[in-house]
Amino acid sequence: MKSIVTEYSDICFYCGKPAECEHHLIFGNGLRDLADEDGLKVSSCNKHHNMGQINERIHGNPMAEKLSKMLGQAVWEKHYGNREAFRKRYGKNYL
């Protein structure tokens, strides 16, 4: 897994347990491929990705989804460029 967010690909970004999947910090409307190219993903356990209770997971939890996208943009801006460049690439500003 190529990630510009963390070097720990074998543990869940949220709880530290063994990772079972990847979470793309920016997702939806074809943005997952861009996030994949840019390394905007973290390892996750299934519980914290999309199988836990609503307040334990990212997907289906509006606040967690919003925070995920904010983190993705902040890390992208630090690594690749500025806010306007992010807006051009992803079509939206999450910050």
Side-chain angles (χ1 to χ4, degrees), residues 37-62:
E37 287 175 27
D38 294 345
L40 292 179
K41 55 188 175 178
V42 295
S43 297
S44 180
C45 65
N46 289 331
K47 175 183 175 182
H48 289 113
H49 189 235
N50 60 3
M51 298 181 88
Q53 298 295 319
I54 190 71
N55 63 338
E56 298 174 321
R57 65 182 189 227
I58 300 296
H59 292 291
N61 179 336

Side-chain angles (χ1 to χ4, degrees), residues 4-57:
I4 63 169
V5 181
T6 181
E7 62 187 73
Y8 303 104
S9 61
D10 57 339
I11 62 170
C12 178
F13 184 75
Y14 307 100
C15 70
K17 291 183 179 177
E20 300 168 299
C21 59
E22 296 177 344
H23 170 64
H24 291 79
L25 296 172
I26 309 288
F27 52 91
N29 299 328
L31 300 178
R32 187 174 190 256
D33 289 339
L34 291 177
D36 203 32
E37 287 175 27
D38 294 345
L40 292 179
K41 55 188 175 178
V42 295
S43 297
S44 180
C45 65
N46 289 331
K47 175 183 175 182
H48 289 113
H49 189 235
N50 60 3
M51 298 181 88
Q53 298 295 319
I54 190 71
N55 63 338
E56 298 174 321
R57 65 182 189 227

